[in-house]
């Protein structure tokens, strides 16, 4: 058979087969264009990390206002959230960050104007990165997990509604302008006496207490 005819036949048949045959969702074989990207029914977009049993949250396309980043998805351990993954999302109201998350990229939740609640499960996160929750103007309260050692540049800047943040004594490193634009008359930092968190809060003129039971009017 003429080679040209064979090439034409192949070019015609393969797209048809790709449309008809349902892809197998296993490691890297999720049927997406990129080959290692998959969107869950909830709208969370994952990227499988080659050569590992891990995946990363890279985006969100769903309409659910309450997001739960799971410990595992499709047989993969969910270990990270990419930089800017939820940036500018005005839909989400709450986020639960799974216990297997080891790292969060810069600005992952920045400018999520409707985000009110953030919960870290028993996390392995070592740092809250730069601009992580910047301009989350509806965020009310945050409690950093005990694994965190660092809070980066403008991590909570312009969180104008936030009234309480609980920071464990293990956090020793604070980036510049971490609380820039936050309300000095509203935000209370819960921190150990003499800790770096207390010192940083006082530098910003914020209220400080060593008790998470503080009730604010």
């Amino acid at each position: 058979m003429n080679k040209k005819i064979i090439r034409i036949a192949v070019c015609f048949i393969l797209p048809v087969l790709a449309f008809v045959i349902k892809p197998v969702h296993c490691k890297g074989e999720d049927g997406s264009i990129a080959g290692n990207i998959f969107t869950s029914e909830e709208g969370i977009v994952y990227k499988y990390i080659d050569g590992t049993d891990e995946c990363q949250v890279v985006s969100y396309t769903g309409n659910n206002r309450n997001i739960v980043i799971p410990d595992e998805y499709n047989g993969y351990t969910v270990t990270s959230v990419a930089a800017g993954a939820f940036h500018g999302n005005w839909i989400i109201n709450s986020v639960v960050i799974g216990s297997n998350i080891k790292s969060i990229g810069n600005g992952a939740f920045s400018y999520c104007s409707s985000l009110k609640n953030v919960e870290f499960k028993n996390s392995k996160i070592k740092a809250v990165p730069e601009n992580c929750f910047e301009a989350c103007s509806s965020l009310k309260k945050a409690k950093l997990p005990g694994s965190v050692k660092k809070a980066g540049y403008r991590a909570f800047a312009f969180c104008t509604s936030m009234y309480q943040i609980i920071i464990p004594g293990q956090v020793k490193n604070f980036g510049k302008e971490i609380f820039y634009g936050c309300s000095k008359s509203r935000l209370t930092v819960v921190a150990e006496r003499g800790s770096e968190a207390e010192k940083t809060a006082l530098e910003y003129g914020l209220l400080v207490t060593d008790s998470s039971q503080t009730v604010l009017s």
Side-chain angles (χ1 to χ4, degrees), residues 14-15 55 97 101 104 117 159 164 194 211:
L14 286 181
C55 66
I97 299 174
I101 296 295
I104 300 175
N117 300 298
C159 289
Q164 186 183 75
S211 172

Side-chain angles (χ1 to χ4, degrees), residues 15-126:
V16 174
L17 290 175
F19 177 79
V20 174
I21 299 174
K22 185 178 181 180
V24 177
H25 298 301
C26 57
K27 297 181 180 180
E29 299 294 327
D30 53 46
S32 65
I33 295 175
N36 62 345
I37 302 292
F38 187 77
T39 303
S40 70
E41 292 181 359
E42 295 78 17
I44 299 177
V45 182
Y46 298 91
K47 178 180 180 180
Y48 299 134
I49 302 173
D50 292 337
T52 73
D53 290 324
E54 301 178 358
C55 66
Q56 177 184 56
V57 175
V58 295
S59 184
Y60 179 66
T61 61
N63 296 314
N64 193 329
R65 293 182 178 277
N66 303 304
I67 309 302
V68 177
I69 297 176
D71 295 340
E72 295 184 354
Y73 182 73
N74 206 26
Y76 284 74
T77 303
V78 184
T79 58
S80 60
V81 178
F86 293 87
H87 171 80
N89 187 298
W90 55 271
I91 295 176
I92 58 176
N93 288 156
S94 68
V95 174
V96 177
I97 299 174
S99 59
N100 287 327
I101 296 295
K102 299 177 183 177
S103 65
I104 300 175
N106 292 350
F109 299 96
S110 58
Y111 291 85
C112 291
S113 58
S114 298
L115 181 61
K116 297 179 180 179
N117 300 298
V118 173
E119 178 185 348
F120 294 88
K121 294 176 70 176
N122 295 326
S123 180
K124 301 174 183 177
I125 297 170
K126 295 294 188 294

Side-chain angles (χ1 to χ4, degrees), residues 184-205:
K184 293 182 180 180
S185 61
R186 180 176 178 83
L187 176 58
T188 294
V189 176
V190 180
E192 296 177 7
R193 295 296 180 187
S195 66
E196 288 299 317
E198 182 190 49
K199 294 176 184 177
T200 301
L202 292 175
E203 288 176 3
Y204 283 89

Side-chain angles (χ1 to χ4, degrees), residues 162-176:
M162 189 160 65
Y163 69 84
Q164 186 183 75
I165 182 168
I166 302 173
I167 304 177
Q170 293 89 336
V171 184
K172 303 293 185 182
N173 192 330
F174 291 87
K176 292 182 178 180

